[in-house]
C-alpha cells in the first residue's frame, strides 16, 4: 500500500508538472492560467498526506539506527542540507516559485510556461541542487522497513523527475541548457566536473537572450 501510494503521488505530480497537460487544461479553462502554479504547489503538498500517513502508521521493523558518532554525523549532514536549501532560496524568485507573481501579473497562455534558467552557486556543481540536498536528508536518517522503501522510491523519482524537468528546460533554452548539461553532473557532484564563475555567468547571459 505504501509503494502504491508513493507511485500514485509521483505519477500525479509528473502529470500536473508536464507542459502538455498544463497547456491542454488551460486551453479548456483559460481562467486557470494565472492560478496554475499556486494550485500545483497546493496539490503537491496535499497529495503527500496519504503516503506520509502510511509511512508513519506502519513503520515496519527497524533495519539500522545511527549510534554514537554516526548519529552526530548523520544529523550534521541533514542540518547542512536543510541549511543549504534555505541558503539557496536567495537565488530564486520565491513569489514566482510559489505562484503568487503569476497571479499578480495576471499571466495567461504561454506566459505561464516560462521556465527560468537559474545558475546559483550550487548549480555550478549539480544541475538539481534541491534534489541532491533532498537525497542527503533522505539517506542520512535511521531506517525502518517503510522508510527504506520510501527512500528507494523517492530516489528513483528524483532521477526520473530530474530528466523530465530537463526536457522542459531544453525545450525553452535549447543549446544553452545542453551545454550546461555537458559540463555539470545531474545529482552527484564530481570534483572534476563543474562550472567556473565566469562560465556560469556567460551561460546565464546567453539564456536571457
Amino acid at each position: 500500500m505504501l509503494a502504491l501510494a508513493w507511485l500514485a503521488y509521483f505519477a500525479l505530480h509528473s502529470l500536473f508538472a508536464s507542459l502538455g497537460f498544463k497547456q491542454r487544461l488551460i486551453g479548456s479553462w483559460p481562467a486557470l492560467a494565472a492560478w496554475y502554479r499556486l494550485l500545483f504547489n497546493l496539490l503537491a503538498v496535499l497529495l503527500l498526506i496519504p503516503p506520509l500517513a502510511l509511512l508513519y502508521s506502519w513503520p515496519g521493523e527497524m533495519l539500522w539506527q545511527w549510534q554514537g558518532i554516526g548519529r552526530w554525523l548523520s544529523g550534521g549532514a541533514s542540518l547542512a542540507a536543510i541549511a543549504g536549501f534555505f541558503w539557496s532560496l536567495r537565488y530564486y524568485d520565491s513569489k514566482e516559485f510559489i505562484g503568487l507573481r503569476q497571479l499578480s501579473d495576471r499571466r495567461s497562455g504561454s506566459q505561464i510556461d516560462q521556465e527560468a534558467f537559474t545558475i546559483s552557486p550550487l548549480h555550478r556543481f549539480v544541475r538539481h541542487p534541491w534534489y541532491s540536498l533532498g537525497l542527503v536528508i533522505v539517506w542520512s536518517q535511521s531506517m525502518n522497513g517503510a522508510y527504506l522503501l520510501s527512500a528507494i522510491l523517492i530516489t528513483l523519482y528524483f532521477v526520473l523527475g530530474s530528466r523530465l524537468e530537463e526536457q522542459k528546460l531544453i525545450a525553452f533554452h535549447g543549446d544553452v541548457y545542453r551545454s550546461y548539461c555537458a559540463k555539470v553532473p545531474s545529482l552527484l557532484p564530481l570534483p572534476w566536473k563543474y562550472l567556473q564563475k565566469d562560465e556560469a555567468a556567460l551561460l546565464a547571459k546567453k539564456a536571457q537572450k
Side-chain angles (χ1 to χ4, degrees):
M1 289 180 65
L2 177 61
L4 289 175
W6 278 121
L7 292 174
Y9 176 81
F10 298 148
L12 289 172
H13 190 271
S14 297
L15 175 65
F16 297 152
S18 68
L19 290 180
F21 178 84
K22 188 188 304 183
Q23 291 168 352
R24 285 194 296 272
L25 187 64
I26 292 172
S28 300
W29 292 284
L32 281 177
W35 289 88
Y36 194 91
R37 181 71 186 191
L38 181 60
L39 292 174
F40 170 81
N41 287 328
L42 288 174
L43 275 174
V45 174
L46 290 175
L47 291 173
L48 270 176
I49 294 175
L52 290 180
L54 290 172
L55 172 63
Y56 290 105
S57 297
W58 300 318
E61 182 182 353
M62 181 61 69
L63 301 177
W64 75 79
Q65 191 167 12
W66 297 108
Q67 301 288 344
I69 190 171
R71 186 174 182 180
W72 285 98
L73 291 174
S74 63
S78 292
L79 289 175
I82 293 170
F85 173 81
F86 284 104
W87 173 75
S88 70
L89 288 175
R90 67 169 67 183
Y91 298 97
Y92 291 85
D93 184 336
S94 58
K95 288 186 177 181
E96 177 88 15
F97 179 79
I98 294 171
L100 297 178
R101 192 172 302 283
Q102 292 86 328
L103 276 175
S104 63
D105 293 347
R106 297 182 180 179
R107 293 185 189 173
S108 61
S110 61
Q111 292 178 322
I112 65 159
D113 290 333
Q114 297 169 351
E115 296 288 334
F117 180 27
T118 302
I119 305 181
S120 70
L122 292 180
H123 278 92
R124 291 172 47 212
F125 300 93
V126 286
R127 302 199 298 270
H128 305 279
W130 283 3
Y131 289 174
S132 300
L133 294 172
L135 289 175
V136 172
I137 295 171
V138 166
W139 287 102
S140 60
Q141 308 304 309
S142 297
M143 292 282 174
N144 55 45
Y147 193 92
L148 178 59
L149 173 63
S150 299
I152 292 171
L153 292 175
I154 290 170
T155 300
L156 292 174
Y157 183 66
F158 278 3
V159 173
L160 176 61
S162 64
R163 294 180 180 179
L164 294 175
E165 185 177 332
E166 286 179 346
Q167 289 178 2
K168 292 193 294 183
L169 290 167
I170 289 172
F172 283 102
H173 303 292
D175 290 338
V176 174
Y177 195 78
R178 289 190 184 92
S179 177
Y180 173 66
C181 290
K183 296 180 179 180
V184 177
S186 178
L187 296 172
L188 299 177
L190 300 172
W192 61 89
K193 197 173 183 181
Y194 64 95
L195 282 179
Q196 299 286 349
K197 286 185 178 180
D198 55 344
E199 292 178 307
L202 182 59
L203 280 177
K205 186 179 294 186
K206 288 181 178 179
Q208 294 172 1
K209 292 181 179 179

